[in-house]
Amino acid sequence: MPPGQLPDVAAVIARLRELQGQFAPDDGVGAFNRMYLQVTELVGERIEDGFFADPVFLARLDVVFAGLYLDAVDGRPANAADPCWQPLLESRGNHLASIQFAIAGMNAHINHDLAVALVRTCRQLGLSPSSPGVKADYDKVTQLLAEVHEQVRQSFLDGLALRVDQEVAPLLTLVGAWSIGRARDAAWVSASVLWELGRDPGLAEEFRRNLSRSVGLASRTLLTPVAVPTPA
C-alpha cells in the first residue's frame, strides 16, 4: 500500500464524516460529500456482509477511489488541479440546488476517478481488469448503487417545494439526464483503455487528462444555474 493511503474502508468513512462536520451549510462540496458518505457506508456494510466475491479487492478499490476525491478536496497537488474537479471546487459557493453539486461531484468521481482507481487497485494487488471476479464484483457495486441512487437523489429533492412545475422542471431535466449506471459502464471502458495503454505511460497520461477535461465540461453543464424552487 502506498505511503499516505488510508488503510481501510472504516478510515475512509471516518474521514468523510470528519469532513462533513467541517463544511458550511451552503458549501456545494458538502452536498456531494453527504451523498458519497451514504454510498460508502452502504458499500462498507456489504463488504462486511460477504456480498462480494473478493472483499479484499473491493475494500482496496474503495480506499484508492476515495483517495482521489480526498486529494481534490484537501487541495493536494496530486488531484487538486485536475480539470474534472475544477467546476465543483470553483462553484461550491454559488447559489445552486444541492442536488446539482451532488451529481456534479459524482460525475467527476465516477467518470474520471473510478477508471484511475480501478487501474491503480489492480496494480497494487497484482490483478488486472480481466482477472476472475473483478468485473463481476464491479457490476455488483453498480447494481447496488442503482438501487439506492434514486432514494439518495430524492433526499435532495424533498427539501424543495415541488408544487410549481414550471420552476422544478428545468432542474429535474438537468439532473435527470445523468445516470450512475451509464457512468460506471463508461468508467469500466475507460479503465480498460488505461490498462491497455499502460505499456506507454505518456500516452496513458494523455488519455487520462483528456478524459478529465471532458468530464469537467460535463460537470460545468450540470452546474448551470436553473430556476430553483423556494425551500418549503
Side-chain angles (χ1 to χ4, degrees):
M1 185 175 292
Q5 186 168 291
L6 292 174
D8 51 35
V9 178
V12 170
I13 292 172
R15 179 63 182 134
L16 293 175
R17 287 175 178 166
E18 179 185 14
L19 276 175
Q20 197 62 41
Q22 297 172 1
F23 290 120
D26 59 349
D27 190 330
V29 179
F32 165 70
N33 194 86
R34 174 160 68 92
M35 174 181 273
Y36 189 34
L37 174 57
Q38 288 178 270
V39 169
T40 304
E41 289 173 335
L42 177 63
V43 173
E45 290 173 3
R46 294 297 186 271
I47 292 173
E48 292 295 323
D49 292 343
F51 181 71
F52 301 106
D54 189 346
V56 173
F57 166 73
L58 252 296
R60 182 65 65 91
L61 177 60
D62 195 88
V63 166
V64 176
F65 186 39
L68 292 166
Y69 160 63
L70 295 172
D71 281 347
V73 76
D74 288 338
R76 297 190 190 111
N79 210 26
D82 225 308
C84 68
W85 282 107
Q86 285 178 352
L88 178 61
L89 296 175
E90 293 170 359
S91 303
R92 61 194 301 175
N94 292 357
H95 184 62
L96 301 171
S98 295
I99 191 171
Q100 289 181 258
F101 293 114
I103 298 298
M106 293 289 275
N107 178 63
H109 202 34
I110 293 177
N111 279 304
H112 172 266
D113 288 357
L114 183 54
V116 175
L118 182 58
V119 170
R120 290 184 183 177
T121 300
C122 285
R123 287 175 177 159
Q124 286 185 20
L125 297 177
L127 301 171
S128 77
S130 60
S131 293
V134 169
K135 182 63 162 61
D137 274 346
Y138 183 92
D139 288 342
K140 277 190 173 183
V141 176
T142 301
Q143 295 165 8
L144 180 65
L145 297 186
E147 292 174 7
V148 301
H149 179 64
E150 181 57 32
Q151 177 183 346
V152 175
R153 175 178 174 272
Q154 189 60 45
S155 72
F156 283 91
L157 296 175
D158 284 344
L160 300 176
L162 303 183
R163 294 185 297 271
V164 186
D165 290 343
Q166 63 267 31
E167 287 187 359
V168 74
L171 176 62
L172 292 180
T173 299
L174 184 66
V175 301
W178 192 88
S179 162
I180 194 168
R182 290 195 299 269
R184 285 183 60 86
D185 287 345
W188 178 266
V189 174
S190 295
S192 299
V193 173
L194 279 172
W195 184 264
E196 292 300 320
L197 291 176
R199 306 179 189 89
D200 188 336
L203 186 58
E205 176 59 14
E206 185 61 27
F207 174 83
R208 187 203 65 77
R209 288 200 61 80
N210 282 330
L211 175 64
S212 184
R213 294 186 192 103
S214 298
V215 172
L217 286 173
S219 287
R220 289 195 187 281
T221 300
L222 289 165
L223 293 166
T224 299
V226 293
V228 179
T230 304

